[in-house]
Amino acid sequence: MSLSRAPRAALLTALVAAGALTLSACGDGGKSGGGGDTNFVTGTGGIDTVAKGERRAPKKLAGETLDGGRLDIADLKGKIVVMNVWGSWCAPCRSEAPYFAKVAKETEADGVEFVGINTRDPQKGPALAFEKDYGVGYPSLYDPIGKLIVNGFPKGSLNPQAIPSTIVLDREGKIAARSLKALDDEELRKMIDPLIAEK
């Protein structure tokens, strides 16, 4: 195997393993997760949540953005952070993008920050065109080979196991909710509004 194929093979293996864990969790009486007691519950509509006292922080999620800037998710502590994993090639990502752009504007005054994690786009051009076409006004970390997705979340936590995935962090910077499907505005608000209401 060549060196250029090794990271892709590792990513594919990780994603396949993660997908298997997701499927195996579906029949566990409401509990979901990667083996052991993960303390998160699959709710209705495919949204997983974690009780406030059981939440865990992600690992380091930082890097270059699509527009060439730098972003570290840890710097957003104190805000609710909605992270959406997407790719310009992904049809479900295209269907949910207008909803994300809309809800990002609606919730900004409530201390909600949206951040994309763009993945598997080998060039930035298509991803930048996607953002322009769908009116996405928030930054996206550029993660072409999925390093942030694979390494940025603790084992056994709510982590992105599909594209698109949406992870929501509470104001303490801890993982509070996840969805592994394309979302509309109502579903997205179901993930965010309880965190806005938390004190």
Side-chain angles (χ1 to χ4, degrees):
M1 180 180 306
S2 74
L3 289 177
S4 65
R5 291 186 179 180
R8 287 190 180 125
L11 176 60
L12 180 60
T13 301
L15 290 174
V16 168
L21 289 174
T22 299
L23 292 174
S24 67
C26 292
D28 192 19
K31 287 281 187 182
S32 177
D37 187 10
T38 56
N39 294 317
F40 55 91
V41 177
T42 301
T44 59
I47 296 172
D48 301 316
T49 60
V50 183
K52 190 171 184 178
E54 304 294 332
R55 297 174 188 162
R56 298 167 64 191
K59 296 180 181 179
K60 188 163 182 68
L61 290 167
E64 182 182 2
T65 59
L66 283 173
D67 64 5
R70 301 286 304 169
L71 177 66
D72 187 338
I73 297 296
D75 293 340
L76 301 175
K77 194 171 181 180
K79 296 186 174 201
I80 296 163
V81 180
V82 179
M83 293 183 291
N84 179 243
V85 179
W86 65 278
S88 66
W89 45 268
C90 162
C93 300
R94 289 191 290 273
S95 71
E96 74 177 1
Y99 299 116
F100 276 73
K102 172 182 179 275
V103 175
K105 289 177 185 172
E106 291 173 353
T107 58
E108 186 176 9
D110 294 314
V112 179
E113 186 82 27
F114 277 63
V115 175
I117 301 178
N118 172 258
T119 192
R120 290 176 47 191
D121 271 314
Q123 305 296 324
K124 290 183 178 181
L128 289 167
F130 177 103
E131 288 186 330
K132 183 178 179 185
D133 290 346
Y134 293 103
V136 175
Y138 50 84
S140 283
L141 289 163
Y142 183 52
D143 189 27
I145 61 169
K147 286 172 66 176
L148 293 175
I149 296 167
V150 172
N151 300 319
F153 298 87
K155 184 178 179 183
S157 71
L158 294 178
N159 52 58
Q161 298 176 355
I163 302 167
S165 286
T166 302
I167 308 283
V168 183
L169 306 182
D170 65 17
R171 294 183 196 277
E172 295 177 6
K174 295 181 178 178
I175 302 166
R178 174 191 66 186
S179 177
L180 299 175
K181 65 174 191 163
L183 299 170
D184 63 23
D185 53 342
E186 290 182 10
E187 292 167 314
L188 193 49
R189 292 301 297 246
K190 285 178 185 175
M191 295 179 77
I192 300 169
D193 289 347
L195 298 175
I196 292 173
E198 278 185 359
K199 299 295 179 202

